[in-house]
Amino acid sequence: MTEHHLPSQLEVSPAAPDRNLALELVRVTEAGAMASGRWVGRGDKNGADGAAVKAMRSLVHTVSMNGVVVIGEGEKDEAPMLYNGERVGDGTGPECDVAVDPVDGTTLTAKGMANAVSVLAVAERGTMFDPSAVFYMDKLVTGPEAAEFVDITAPPGVNIRRIAKAKKSSPEDVTVVVLDRPRHEGLVKEIREAGARIKFISDGDVAGAIMAVREGTGADLLLGVGGTPEGIIAACALKCLGGTIQAKLWPKDDEERQRAIDAGHDLDQVLQTDDLVSGDNVFFVATGITDGDLLRGVRYRAETATTQSLVMRSKSGTIRQIDSTHRLSKLRAYASVDFERPR
């Protein structure tokens, strides 16, 4: 396990999430990754997602917190578990908002492609943005070096040049992460005209955002329209990593636009990191399902599995990378989760 500590850790009030939550939370994403990992490459994204949801729900109710799922499987997925508004935790700990994505990258998992992760974020109660059924947002994400210079309302070329200047490089050195979608045809053209490189991702919005912030991934910026829930989860990660996410809600049709207006949203507002999650004591955990730029995927042996996870806390600035070996027979005994191959 490797750790990186940024300056000081303060004690928290009993009403706030406690630092001891970190290792409890990573057990949840490890369970999700190991359960969905059995479905890697099998062509069944619903099977992978369902396995992760079931495993994570079983484990999350053992965590010492009084949580409410603010960002969950949600209305879009018509999910029976880990849905928005569901209470999670054992009810004994602090009041928390919970954001969960059992499989960020279900298609990646189904196809055996890189960067599928299982993610969970926790913050003080009432601090996570409620998207009110607006499923998509236009996003800009970049790291600490250029955070104060970018502006989502500016053309992509402007932001690319600003990032290059902040990093003392040229636009040709900037790599932009973009979801590979037809709606981004114009964006892709503008990025290439600015001279920057593009790293396309087919799914995995949360991992893509973290790649744009974390050193060593080769990415400098994420642009384009992706899921609103994933944007809020990414904001939780950015509270721990530094950098910025800027976003504007992107209703997909007139009905969703009206629903957003009725809910009081200003569709012209640029949402900053603190608008998406205002808390100062945020936990973010992710466990790799498939190998990727951020994490190694699950490895299975006859009776064991190994996982790699990222565990972060905004209040202390601590970032941990945790490599774990799991005895599957012992996990089955206490977790009531089936980590066997799907039949």
Side-chain angles (χ1 to χ4, degrees), residues 40-64:
V40 168
R42 294 178 178 270
D44 185 352
K45 66 179 186 179
N46 292 328
D49 193 54
V53 169
K54 184 178 179 182
M56 291 181 75
R57 190 171 188 259
S58 176
L59 268 290
V60 78
H61 284 300
T62 70
V63 176
S64 302

Side-chain angles (χ1 to χ4, degrees), residues 221-239:
L221 174 66
L222 176 138
L223 290 175
V225 174
T228 299
E230 289 84 354
I232 295 164
I233 295 172
C236 293
L238 264 70
K239 293 287 283 197

Side-chain angles (χ1 to χ4, degrees), residues 33 36 103 111 115 121 141 197 218 222 226 230-231 260 338-339:
S36 61
V103 182
K111 293 183 177 180
N115 289 320
V141 180
R197 298 175 292 181
L222 176 138
E230 289 84 354
D338 185 5
F339 295 108

Side-chain angles (χ1 to χ4, degrees), residues 76 104 131 134-141 152 177-181 183-184 187 201-206 209 222-232 234 245-252 256:
K76 185 171 68 168
D104 178 45
V134 181
F135 297 133
Y136 296 96
M137 55 169 48
D138 193 14
K139 306 171 195 174
L140 178 154
V141 180
I152 194 172
V177 179
V178 179
L179 270 172
D180 193 1
R181 298 288 187 273
R183 62 177 176 261
H184 290 147
L187 172 63
I201 55 174
S202 62
D203 290 278
D205 225 20
V206 175
L222 176 138
L223 290 175
V225 174
T228 299
E230 289 84 354
I232 295 164
I245 178 170
Q246 299 177 14
K248 295 180 71 175
L249 293 176
W250 193 82
K252 66 180 185 296
E256 192 170 286

Side-chain angles (χ1 to χ4, degrees), residues 38 299-306 325-332 340-341:
R38 290 297 198 186
R299 300 278 196 276
Y300 297 97
R301 300 291 181 268
E303 271 300 315
T304 63
T306 60
T325 300
H326 310 267
R327 290 287 298 274
L328 298 181
S329 59
K330 291 183 177 292
L331 283 178
R332 285 191 292 268
E340 297 294 339
R341 301 174 185 85

Side-chain angles (χ1 to χ4, degrees), residues 204-222:
D205 225 20
V206 175
I210 297 173
M211 284 162 52
V213 174
R214 202 162 188 228
E215 289 191 19
T217 65
D220 305 284
L221 174 66
L222 176 138

Side-chain angles (χ1 to χ4, degrees), residues 3 20-21 31 66 105 128-129 134 142 149 160 175 199 216 220 253 300 320 323 330-331:
E3 297 187 17
N20 295 329
L21 273 181
N66 193 344
M128 287 188 191
F129 180 74
V134 181
T142 195
F149 305 113
I160 288 165
T175 297
K199 181 179 180 65
D220 305 284
D253 53 34
Y300 297 97
R320 293 181 171 90
D323 293 284
K330 291 183 177 292
L331 283 178

